[in-house]
Each structure stands twice: as C-alpha cells, then as structure tokens.
Amino acid sequence: METSWSLHLLSEILSAFSTEDPDNLRNVVNRVAESVDAEVAAILCEGQISWCIGLSETDQIQLLEQAKQQPSNIPIRSGDLHACWAPLGSSDVLFVGRLGERFDLEERALLRAMARSIELSMNMLRAVTSERQARNDAYQQATHDALTGLPNRRMVLDHLKATIDHLVADEALVTAVLFIDIDRFKWINDAHGHAAGDQLLIHISRILTDSVRHEDLVGRLSGDEFIVITQLGDRHATNELARRIIETIRQPIRVFGSELSHTVSIGISFVQPGDDPSVVLENADMAMYRAKALGRGRYANFHSSMRVLAQQRLSLEENLGHAADNGEIRTYLQPLFRLSDNTLAGFETLIRWQHPQHGILPPGSFLNQAEDSGLIQEMDMIVFETGCSAIAKWQQIPGLEHLRLSSNLSAHSLADPRTKERIKAILETTGINSCNVYLEITETALVEDIKSTASNIIALRNLNLRLAIDDFGTGYSSLLYLKRFPVALLKIDRSFVDGLGLNPEDDVIATTIISLARALELEVVAEGVENENQLDLIRELGSDYGQGYLFGQPMSIGDTERCFISPRRPHPAVHTTP
C-alpha cells in the first residue's frame, strides 16, 4: 500500500473535521473502508453508532451488542465480517469490517493510524465546538433575559438604534415602541411568591411574542417591564395592537392552583429619524405611567408635557418613601348619615399626605405610587389605627355608642395574611367595638386572587369585622362573589348617584343594586350625595345611608370633632339656686 495514498487519506480526515460538514465526515468513513477494501466502517461514540456505512439497521444493532467484546468476527446477514477495532481515545472506537480475507498487520497498522488522526480531529472539533458554545452562551447571557429568553435591555437598545439608523423621513411605516408594565406585580410576588411571579412573566412574554409579527422585537427590560418595537401602517394600528395586548393579558390564568386576574399598562412612543434610543424608551416609560394614572389596564401615547409630570412623579416617589416614617400620613374623616332619621351613623377614613412642600395632597396624587412600591400596606394600617382611636373615644359618649367606622383596605393588604394580626392588635389596643368596624374593599381587589382573598377575608371576618364592597357596580362583581364572601354592605359609586334623575341608565343601576342588596339582606350606602335632589332620590330608592358633600366634606380628626362630635355631647345639667 502506497505511503502517499495513506498521507492523502489522513489529510482528508483532518480537513473533513475542520469543515464540520457531515457529508465530508461520511466521505472519510467511506475512504477508510476503501483504503483496505472493506465493506463496512463505523465510528462508535459513547456506546452509540455515530457514523456507519455498509450495515443495515438490524446489522447495526448486532454490531452494538458485540462492541464491548470487540470480537474478531461478527456475523451479519451476508456473512461473517472480519473485524478490526481501533481505539479513538478512552471510550470511542473505529470499527472496520471486511468479508473474505482477514486484515493483515500492515492494514491494521494503517487503520490504527487513521483512528489516531480521527481521534485528534474529533478532539479538536469538540474543543472548537465547546469554545463556540461557550461564546454563544456568554453572548446569550449578555443579550437575553435568563427567565423568558427575550432580548434584554442591552439588545433592545442595540436593535432600536439600528432601527433608527435605517429610518428615513418618508418612511411608509410608523415605528413605535410599546413599554409594557404589569400592574401591581409586587402584590403578586408578595401574595403568591416569586415562583408564581416568574410563571406570570413567562406567560406574558409568550402573549407578547404571539401578538406581534416575526420581524418585530419583544424584549424584557427588567422586573415586570417589557418592550415591543414594531413597524405598522399608522398610529391607529399601533394603538389597536396595544389594545389587543391588554385584552389578551387581562384573561385570568391559573398559577399553582390560584387563579390570577392581572392587567398591564402600556406607554407608546413613536420613533423619528435621529432620535436617541434611550430617550425613546424614557418617553414610552412616561406614557406608561400616564396610563397607570388614568386607572391602569390601558394605554397612553407619549406627549412632551409628560416629561415635566415624570420629574414631578420622581420627586414625589422619593418623598413618599419617607412619608410614613416622618408622620406625614394624615387620616381624614367623612360623615355617614342614616337616611331614615337623618342621624349621624359614623365616618369613613380617607387618607391624605401632609407633604412638607406641597401641603395636603389628595390620594389620587400618590396612591398609585404607594401601591406600586408596596408602601400602601403601612399607610392602610396608619389610617385604620388613627380612625379606630378616634371612633373608640367617641363611642364612650352617651348617644354615640353605635358610631361606626369604615376604613379602606387595599389589594396589597387584603392579600397579606399578616394583615389579620395587625388589625387584631389595633382593635385590642384602641378598644373600638369591632362590630361597628367596616372594611371597605373594591371589587377589583376581591377578584385579584379568589382563593387567597377568600381565606384572608374569612380570617378578618372572624374578628367580628364587617365587609363593605366599595364602588359597587364599577368593577368585576357578580352574584357569585356576593354569595362567596361574607359581605355586609354595598356602596353605590358616586358616578351612578351623579346621574340620578338625569340618566335613565344610572337610575336603573342604582335601583338594581338596592334591590339586590335587599334580596341578600345587605345594607346600602350611596356615595357622592351633593344636593337635596339626589338625597330625595336615593332615599326614595331605599338606600340605608348617604355620604357626600351634602352631609359633610372630608375633615381632619380635630375638625371632625368640632363640627360633628362636640355638638352631640350631652350638656351638663345647669343647677339654679332657689
């Protein structure tokens, strides 16, 4: 056998492995067999046949069964194969089989030399593949989110920059960035654990990917923030995409046995040639916060005025983190009157923030930030404790023993099982009659997670508290919820009271709520009563209680005592001398 032919074959082996082309490697196996006039050649790696020529599937099984013993002859359907086994390292092996003559010493030496070349090439290929895989993994980690597999902030910015660089002034398509944020995501993590939060993030990432075109980019910036970069026909089409995403994500999902109802808020920023990618993301972020301020679960388009509002919001959030510790959270009270005899029945607690620079701030200016940051739970307890202390003191006054207190409980507090113990401690410390305490919960909070909500409400009800549904008729209520939870009172939202006598639909809704409450033996409070006409109408419809500016504005506890409590204190008897 000629040496040049052998060297030529060895060089083919090396080149085949370097190109990583399976056909080239198959060709090497063929040439190995040809070099010794063999009918069969195979490479066995880790107990499996990686490459094989000349054997049927049945014969390959026979080969594998005998591979450990490495016999000199292997029977196949066409006869006995004279075998030559050449090691390819510690575990792999090159097998060459020939019908007819046995392999002589020179042929066996040549096959062992070929095997060493193949082993060297395979090791080289594995090293190159491993290095390439390591580089790919490092790149993946640097540019993609580990949980969802979506592009991360770095890749989003790179993609956005490339998109902007290729934009022209007369571009036929509109390029938009959608900034998607999960509403109350911290609440989900706190209530259900981070594993459930991760499942929700994966679920939303799939929805976003399915909602856009293949050429669009979906990324995850951090936490509960996602990005979509898309090119559509016009702004209306972009807004319609945002609407579809919101509606799809709104559908409840089951996570670890709990049904979650969740929403997202979306901010939209439209891209122009020459824009800075970071500024575009900031604009979409500002628009997203605008969507949250409008009530969550909706979208908003960026406007330049939002930048000023964003700066104000950032300053507000920084101060809000210290508001509770600095004693800046204030409890205001608004009176509640019994309509049958027009007597004072109790008060609802309302939160205010005594801002060091801006004075008294209403809840609408900071509650969203408090909920997103988780500070709302501490604020709930501050307001509840202050209200209980005041009402407990006034209940000692003859004639005011049955004075009631209504206090709002946020979705965060409702979901936290520790809330029961905190409320229990406040009831015991203040000495308030718990039978006259109503916890007001919005319909949305009730259905965020039916399972955990039900158990926490029952735990609170065991403290002899009463449950009130605030803003009834504006959320997700159904007879099922009223049947499932120990509800004692419904509050007709002020939006329906405003239209009484003016809007037939509001008349129907208010009448229906009161009729429903009567059938379920629940009390009814009408909110937002501001004039005598509304008072007459709600009294005629059968509401038990009224609340609104007609009866009294929200006041500090001190002003409430002067205006409503002091005039009702019994006057000391006047003794005259005969």
Side-chain angles (χ1 to χ4, degrees):
M1 187 168 297
E2 297 182 7
T3 304
S4 60
W5 167 249
S6 303
L7 292 176
H8 178 69
L9 182 57
L10 295 180
S11 68
E12 280 193 357
I13 292 173
L14 291 173
S15 64
F17 276 97
S18 66
T19 60
E20 303 178 46
D21 186 338
D23 290 333
N24 285 350
L25 186 55
R26 189 183 307 276
N27 182 54
V28 165
V29 176
N30 268 307
R31 299 301 297 275
V32 166
E34 290 174 1
S35 67
V36 290
D37 295 325
E39 291 83 9
V40 177
I43 295 177
L44 284 70
C45 298
E46 299 179 355
Q48 301 293 326
I49 297 178
S50 296
W51 301 96
C52 182
I53 62 166
L55 287 182
S56 66
E57 292 185 5
T58 302
D59 290 338
Q60 288 184 35
I61 294 174
Q62 178 73 8
L63 174 62
L64 282 175
E65 291 175 350
Q66 309 233 3
K68 287 186 178 181
Q69 290 77 29
Q70 295 189 3
S72 59
N73 291 286
I74 295 179
I76 61 174
R77 287 183 299 176
S78 55
D80 285 345
L81 280 176
H82 299 294
C84 178
W85 304 86
L88 297 171
S90 58
S91 59
D92 301 339
V93 65
L94 169 66
F95 169 80
V96 181
R98 183 167 67 187
L99 297 169
E101 295 182 2
R102 297 179 181 275
F103 296 105
D104 59 29
L105 292 177
E106 183 179 358
E107 289 172 327
R108 290 180 181 275
L110 175 62
L111 290 175
R112 285 196 295 270
M114 292 180 183
R116 285 195 293 273
S117 296
I118 293 174
E119 178 188 353
L120 175 63
S121 299
M122 289 177 68
N123 290 339
M124 185 184 304
L125 177 60
R126 286 167 181 163
V128 171
T129 302
S130 178
E131 181 182 354
R132 182 178 292 109
Q133 185 62 46
R135 288 200 304 268
N136 291 339
D137 291 344
Y139 177 78
Q140 182 75 12
Q141 293 175 6
T143 59
H144 288 74
D145 171 52
L147 177 66
T148 63
L150 295 177
N152 62 12
R153 176 181 288 272
R154 169 184 164 182
M155 192 169 183
V156 166
L157 286 171
D158 288 346
H159 180 89
L160 183 56
K161 182 179 185 304
T163 300
I164 293 173
D165 289 344
H166 288 85
L167 283 181
V168 293
D170 58 348
E171 183 76 46
L173 299 176
V174 171
T175 301
V177 172
L178 281 66
F179 195 112
I180 299 119
D181 184 89
I182 304 174
D183 297 325
R184 297 188 179 98
F185 183 68
K186 186 178 185 303
W187 175 87
I188 294 173
N189 272 337
D190 292 344
H192 306 281
H194 290 280
D198 287 348
Q199 289 301 308
L200 178 60
L201 291 171
I202 294 171
H203 171 72
I204 289 179
S205 71
R206 291 170 178 166
I207 288 178
L208 294 177
T209 302
D210 292 342
S211 298
V212 300
R213 304 172 307 165
H214 177 72
E215 57 267 33
D216 295 333
L217 180 133
V218 176
R220 181 186 176 202
L221 294 187
S222 63
D224 59 342
E225 298 174 342
F226 293 86
I227 285 290
V228 169
I229 301 175
T230 183
Q231 289 185 310
L232 296 172
D234 53 32
R235 296 194 173 202
H236 174 74
T238 305
N239 292 338
E240 181 61 23
L241 171 62
R243 188 195 63 78
R244 289 199 310 272
I245 290 173
I246 290 170
E247 290 304 314
T248 304
I249 292 177
R250 191 189 298 274
Q251 303 305 313
I253 63 169
R254 183 163 292 277
V255 176
F256 300 139
S258 296
E259 187 174 278
L260 296 182
S261 296
H262 50 282
T263 59
V264 295
S265 298
I266 300 179
I268 303 173
S269 176
F270 294 99
V271 184
Q272 300 297 326
D275 280 349
D276 184 301
S278 297
V279 173
V280 172
L281 287 187
E282 289 176 5
N283 293 345
D285 188 18
M286 294 176 201
M288 181 273 296
Y289 274 103
R290 175 58 179 165
K292 283 185 179 290
L294 293 173
R296 295 190 177 90
R298 61 190 66 200
Y299 68 87
N301 293 328
F302 172 76
H303 187 272
S304 57
S305 62
M306 292 179 182
R307 191 164 288 277
V308 175
L309 295 176
Q311 294 170 349
Q312 294 174 349
R313 186 184 68 251
L314 179 60
S315 175
L316 199 67
E317 289 178 354
E318 292 174 351
N319 293 330
L320 186 61
H322 306 288
D325 294 336
N326 295 340
E328 297 168 4
I329 302 303
R330 298 284 187 264
T331 300
Y332 273 45
L333 299 176
Q334 187 172 30
L336 178 74
F337 274 75
R338 184 179 294 106
L339 299 183
S340 60
D341 55 9
N342 203 36
T343 58
L344 178 67
F347 297 91
E348 178 186 354
T349 62
L350 301 169
I351 190 172
R352 297 292 186 270
W353 178 12
Q354 180 70 55
H355 194 279
Q357 284 83 41
H358 304 299
I360 293 291
L361 297 180
S365 63
F366 63 89
L367 275 191
N368 282 344
Q369 291 93 323
E371 290 180 350
D372 291 339
S373 63
L375 295 171
I376 189 64
Q377 290 177 259
E378 188 61 30
M379 294 179 178
D380 280 347
M381 295 301 105
I382 291 173
V383 171
F384 182 69
E385 182 172 15
T386 309
C388 284
S389 297
I391 299 298
K393 181 179 68 173
W394 297 336
Q395 284 177 344
Q396 305 305 311
I397 300 172
L400 298 181
E401 299 88 352
H402 300 294
L403 208 60
R404 65 168 63 186
L405 172 73
S406 292
S407 193
N408 293 281
L409 197 65
S410 67
H412 281 272
S413 297
L414 181 61
D416 191 341
R418 297 170 297 180
T419 298
K420 176 197 172 183
E421 295 304 320
R422 298 191 68 179
I423 288 180
K424 180 181 178 182
I426 291 172
L427 295 176
E428 293 173 350
T429 301
T430 60
I432 191 173
N433 184 350
S434 60
C435 293
N436 291 337
V437 175
Y438 289 74
L439 293 178
E440 296 190 8
I441 304 168
T442 63
E443 296 176 76
T444 304
L446 274 181
V447 298
E448 290 283 4
D449 172 19
I450 300 297
K451 186 175 181 180
S452 64
T453 297
S455 60
N456 290 344
I457 285 178
I458 291 171
L460 291 171
R461 186 65 184 86
N462 290 337
L463 299 177
N464 293 323
L465 299 168
R466 297 172 183 264
L467 176 66
I469 308 300
D470 195 12
D471 301 337
F472 188 79
T474 62
Y476 305 96
S477 65
S478 73
L479 293 176
L480 173 63
Y481 303 141
L482 296 181
K483 177 182 177 182
R484 186 166 187 174
F485 298 113
V487 177
L489 182 146
L490 302 180
K491 298 190 74 174
I492 304 176
D493 185 65
R494 66 180 65 250
S495 62
F496 303 131
V497 175
D498 284 343
L500 287 179
L502 303 173
N503 188 332
E505 293 181 355
D506 290 339
D507 292 344
V508 171
I509 292 174
T511 302
T512 301
I513 293 174
I514 294 174
S515 299
L516 176 63
R518 288 287 169 267
L520 298 175
E521 299 182 347
L522 307 178
E523 295 180 309
V524 179
V525 174
E527 295 183 300
V529 181
E530 298 186 353
N531 56 60
E532 293 290 343
N533 181 55
Q534 292 173 344
L535 175 61
D536 292 339
L537 288 170
I538 63 168
R539 182 181 282 130
E540 181 181 338
L541 291 174
S543 179
D544 300 294
Y545 301 93
Q547 182 180 344
Y549 278 23
L550 181 63
F551 302 104
Q553 300 183 42
M555 301 179 184
S556 66
I557 290 177
D559 288 342
T560 299
E561 184 161 16
R562 283 189 294 272
C563 294
F564 291 96
I565 303 302
S566 294
R568 289 170 172 79
R569 292 181 185 273
H571 295 290
V574 178
H575 299 283
T576 59
T577 56

